[in-house]
Structures are given as C-alpha cells and as structure tokens.
Amino acid sequence: MKRKKNRTTGRKLFVVTAAALLAMTMASMLSGCGNQAAVDIQTESSDGLISVAFSEVGAESDWRVANSESMRTTFTEENGYEFYFEDAKGKQENQITTLRNYILQGVDYIVLAPVVETGWDEVLQEAKDAGIPVIVVDRMVDVEEEDLYTAWVGSDFKEEGDIAVEWLEEYLEEQGRADEEIQILHVMGTLGASSQLGRTEGLEEGVAVHDNWEIVAQLQGEYTQAKTYEVVSEYLAGSTDIDVIYCENDNSALGVIQALDEAGISYGTDGDVILISFDATTVGLTACLKGKINLDVECNPLHGPRVEQIILQIEAGETPQKLTYVDETYFTPDTLTEELIEERGY
Ligand code: GZL
C-alpha cells in the first residue's frame, strides 16, 4: 500500500536544530543507553512507504524471537513499509529512549511491546502530542488515560493460567490424586510483565480453591533457560519435595529440565514431577511430544499481520477495535505429532 503523498495527520513536522540533536545524542551516549539509535531526522517518507517503528522487549526467549520475526516479515518494503526495529535488552529505559527517537524521527506508527505494564504515561503522551498512533502488542500497558494508545493486540494471560489449572485439576483426578497434598514449585517470568501477572494470578487462584495444593516457592526465572536453571538448581539443593513445577514459559521449562536431570529427579508423563509450561514454541512442544513436559499452553507470538490489519484500518480512516485478544489452545503429549510442530513454524 503506497503512502498517500499529502497525508494530513495533524502531525507537526518536527524540525530539530543540530544543537538539540547533538545535545540529545550526547546525553544518550553519556546515559550509557548503548542502544541509542542514530537519530536521523526524517519528515514523511518521500517514497510513499508507511514508516512503522517497533520497540521490542529483547530476545530473551524463543517466543520473543518469533514475535520479532513476525513483525519483520510483515512490515517489508515490498509490502509498502519502512520498518524500524530496536531491541531493548529487557530494559524499559531503553524502550523509552527508542520511543523518543521514533517520535523525533516523525514515524507514521509506533508499535510497542512493553517489557512491563507501568511507567509509560509520559512517553505515550509525547507520542500523542506528536500525532503518532501507538499500537501496543503482547503485554499490556497500565496508563491513566486509555487514549494514550490506539489499540492493543495480545493474549489473555489470566485465561492461559486458568487453562493450566483446569488441566491440572483433571489430570490429578485421572491419576487418583485429587485429594493428595500437592506441592507446587512456581517459576515466574519477568516480574511486572502482563504475561507473568496473568499466569501467576491463574495459578494463585487455583491454589486458593484447592486446600490440598501448596505453592512451596516462587522463583524468578525471568523467562530464560539460564536464570531458571540457576534458581531451580539452588532450590533443589535444599528441597526436592515437589509434585508440580509451573514454568511461565518454555525456555524456563528447559532450564527446569536441565536442573532436574542434574538432580536425578524424574519428570513428565512417566516421572515424579508434573511439568507445566507456556508459549508452545517448537522447543517446548518438542519436549512435550517426548513426554518431558506434561502440558504446554499456547501463547501466539505472530502479531505482525494483526498489527498490519490495525494500521490498514487507520490508513482507511477507520477506528480499530481497542483490544484484540488472540485465540489460543494448549497441547499435551498425546495431542502432538512432529508434523504438527513443523507446521506451526516457530
Ligand atoms: C507472552 C510474552 C512472554 C512469553 C515469553 O506474551 O510476553 O515473553 O511468554 C516472552 O517467552 O519472553
């Protein structure tokens, strides 16, 4: 879709003096942000392309890599876009610096995958003042004024947690363990991320209604295999009285598997410990197919086409739906095949 030449967006053309630009660049270098994108002042794309600028959380997991790839393969030049991408390495301050650069560049659209829910009001107000629509993907932002972002597309993370709890209830029933004392080790994702908040809420609600379920510890796995391996290994050195490990993403589940293998503790469909995971990426589903993970709840990362639909609606003068939830399912070893995993592609 080619850019309309004389698009009136109410957006002021940003003219930044060289001095201001130099000051900002120096400030950013001094602040050690490190990932300050070289700010090249741009007015509207001269070649009719729609400029879409994406601030990504990082590359902490297979899910995140798939999410970034979905955006890259959607917003290509042949599709009519000029795509900007910045990886924040998991730091909100980097995302805020990136958003300010995008605002200064006068891009047409900002897409934000927020690392955590809070702390966005000021920079989103700046984007609004600049007349740049912000589309939030994946995790949610918690802002005073809902009009600080145009639309959001992502997952219902509490629902994902509820799916896991309902499955565990049924599984324990089938195993004749409905009334048994169940010790649950909880490996959380990045604290304050909507995905962590929702999946944690689902588990904690489930534990609240089952007097025989107990969360023995809540560890911070930060959605990575390395950190999860570190904290779970440390925990297992003190206690191995665990019936379930609830990991808030697949990369954490791989870290748990690594720690359990080293501790000689069995897990999965034929083991002592029930392993629950989230994301349903290739690495998680492959472990699930082998019976190492008992349940993998899907969290779909392919937001590129969904964001494009929102942008095309705005370009057509339409108002997009404010919140769009992605339909998701779950997988167990008996529902998986190598072909199915291959077909999913991420
Ligand atoms: C979920 C997303 C989470 C994934 C993790 O939508 O925010 O972040 O579950 C990723 O794998 O790191």
Side-chain angles (χ1 to χ4, degrees):
M1 171 176 181
K2 285 294 171 202
R3 192 99 189 87
K4 295 186 206 63
K5 284 295 178 200
N6 303 315
R7 192 165 176 267
T8 49
T9 64
R11 179 156 49 87
K12 297 181 288 297
L13 201 56
F14 264 74
V15 180
V16 175
T17 65
L21 175 59
L22 178 63
M24 192 204 64
T25 305
M26 291 293 286
S28 158
M29 285 162 66
L30 290 172
S31 70
C33 277
N35 79 332
Q36 168 88 17
V39 177
D40 55 342
I41 304 304
Q42 281 201 341
T43 58
E44 207 154 275
S45 313
S46 54
D47 45 11
L49 299 175
I50 299 173
S51 53
V52 177
F54 181 38
S55 171
E56 178 60 291
V57 168
E60 73 283 358
S61 64
D62 290 63
W63 188 99
R64 189 63 57 192
V65 170
N67 179 246
S68 298
E69 187 59 15
S70 175
M71 299 294 285
R72 283 198 187 92
T73 54
T74 298
F75 296 108
T76 59
E77 189 166 340
E78 51 266 36
N79 287 345
Y81 300 98
E82 196 168 43
F83 185 59
Y84 297 91
F85 177 91
E86 275 293 333
D87 164 342
K89 296 176 178 51
K91 296 187 184 316
Q92 182 175 31
E93 61 265 31
N94 290 348
Q95 291 198 284
I96 290 173
T97 299
T98 294
L99 263 55
R100 288 189 165 129
N101 287 339
Y102 289 156
I103 292 166
L104 208 56
Q105 286 176 247
V107 296
D108 294 312
Y109 294 91
I110 287 173
V111 182
L112 170 65
V115 58
V116 292
E117 292 199 340
T118 55
W120 301 102
D121 295 77
E122 189 179 335
V123 70
L124 293 183
Q125 184 62 54
E126 292 165 20
K128 182 184 174 192
D129 294 343
I132 302 175
V134 175
I135 298 161
V136 180
V137 293
D138 178 28
R139 304 172 188 176
M140 179 54 88
V141 293
D142 179 6
V143 288
E144 286 299 312
E145 302 296 332
E146 291 301 308
D147 67 356
L148 289 180
Y149 64 95
T150 302
W152 169 87
V153 55
S155 303
D156 184 338
F157 302 110
K158 168 64 169 52
E159 171 68 18
E160 292 175 0
D162 293 344
I163 289 171
V165 167
E166 284 159 27
W167 175 86
L168 182 59
E169 285 167 345
E170 288 167 19
Y171 186 76
L172 290 172
E173 183 75 38
E174 286 161 15
Q175 302 280 313
R177 302 174 64 186
D179 301 323
E180 206 178 283
E181 292 300 313
I182 300 295
Q183 317 283 3
I184 301 170
L185 179 61
H186 179 193
V187 181
M188 305 166 92
T190 303
L191 295 187
S194 309
S195 36
Q196 178 272 311
L197 296 169
R199 291 167 190 166
T200 294
E201 186 187 356
L203 174 65
E204 290 177 344
E205 264 188 20
V207 169
V209 300
H210 290 83
D211 295 341
N212 57 321
W213 291 12
E214 180 195 0
I215 295 175
V216 294
Q218 292 182 302
L219 309 178
Q220 294 184 36
E222 297 177 3
Y223 288 133
T224 70
Q225 178 171 348
K227 185 64 180 172
T228 300
Y229 166 69
E230 176 196 322
V231 297
V232 171
S233 298
E234 192 179 325
Y235 181 82
L236 293 177
S239 167
T240 57
D241 185 10
I242 301 165
D243 300 295
V244 179
I245 303 183
Y246 182 98
C247 313
E248 292 190 349
N249 84 327
D250 287 335
N251 298 82
S252 284
L254 295 184
V256 165
I257 286 170
Q258 201 181 342
L260 291 174
D261 283 343
E262 274 185 15
I265 299 171
S266 64
Y267 50 87
T269 49
D270 302 325
D272 294 338
V273 175
I274 297 164
L275 206 39
I276 291 173
S277 184
F278 293 84
D279 282 356
T281 57
T282 298
V283 292
L285 293 182
T286 302
C288 190
L289 178 63
K290 292 174 182 169
K292 294 184 174 187
I293 291 175
N294 297 78
L295 171 76
D296 203 345
V297 180
E298 182 184 30
C299 178
N300 190 297
L302 307 181
H303 292 321
R306 300 172 184 127
V307 172
E308 183 179 36
Q309 283 313 306
I310 293 170
I311 287 175
L312 293 177
Q313 282 181 291
I314 298 170
E315 287 290 302
E318 298 166 13
T319 302
Q321 185 169 305
K322 188 76 175 180
L323 304 177
T324 304
Y325 287 93
V326 178
D327 289 336
E328 294 169 337
T329 183
Y330 64 89
F331 300 93
T332 51
D334 56 313
T335 64
L336 282 169
T337 64
E338 284 183 10
E339 293 72 27
L340 186 150
I341 296 171
E342 183 73 25
E343 278 161 22
R344 289 169 57 79
Y346 65 86

